[in-house]
Amino acid sequence: MSYAIIGFGKVGQALAKAFARKSIEVAVASRRPPEDLAPQARAIGATVVAKSLRDALAADTVILAVPFGEHREVAKALPSWQGKTVIDAMNAQLPPEELDGLPSSAFAAKAFTGATYVKGFNHLVAAKLAADPVVEGGHRVVFLSGDDDDAIAPVEVLAKQLGFAPVKLGRLNEGGALVHARGRVWGPLIFQDLFKKEQ
């Protein structure tokens, strides 16, 4: 399985640190050319590789860490998203009526035709996401939601590999609504920093 993080701001860098901590290779890309990202990528870890957007999108699993308004540009960069998993780590700053009344993830998913689409890694602030998720005998929780159970399974595996405790919240219009941040409407689980003890 190959991975890419699109967007290299605070959240993208926090996720890159999670991959580097476990020595899992991940491509990183943004609107900036890869040579601009390379020094920061190398500083995070040897397994974090700056690439062009086109090259990064060759990955099996693509994590969206761009500002919400840029997701359509990323979607247009590939003629087809068939066979790919997209993990939505974005939060929208738009009121629901501008998103057809949908949770932001269900709205954004429409742009990625053919992809399996999972909301995840969005509810924690970047500093928490970047920190070691193993704390005091427990693992920091990440919430996952999606309309396809089969799509959530590999994201669950990735979350565990990165040291997090994945918790499934159901479909995008159910679970997604619990963890969204948009406009002045906040889901009840957004920014909740929870831990799951080892069984």
Side-chain angles (χ1 to χ4, degrees), residues 4 11 15 47-48 56 66-67 72-73 80 101 118 121 132 141-142 146 156-157 159 165 172 174 181 199:
V11 172
L15 285 163
T47 59
V48 180
V66 294
R72 286 191 193 89
E73 290 306 307
S80 168
V118 177
F121 299 98
D132 190 336
V141 165
V142 290
E156 236 180 325
V157 170
L172 291 175
E174 302 158 355
Q199 298 300 314

Side-chain angles (χ1 to χ4, degrees), residues 1-26:
M1 190 69 75
S2 53
Y3 301 101
I5 299 165
I6 310 303
F8 205 50
K10 286 181 183 170
V11 172
Q13 290 180 34
L15 285 163
K17 285 174 185 167
F19 277 84
R21 193 179 294 115
K22 297 295 184 177
S23 299
I24 300 170
E25 185 162 318
V26 64

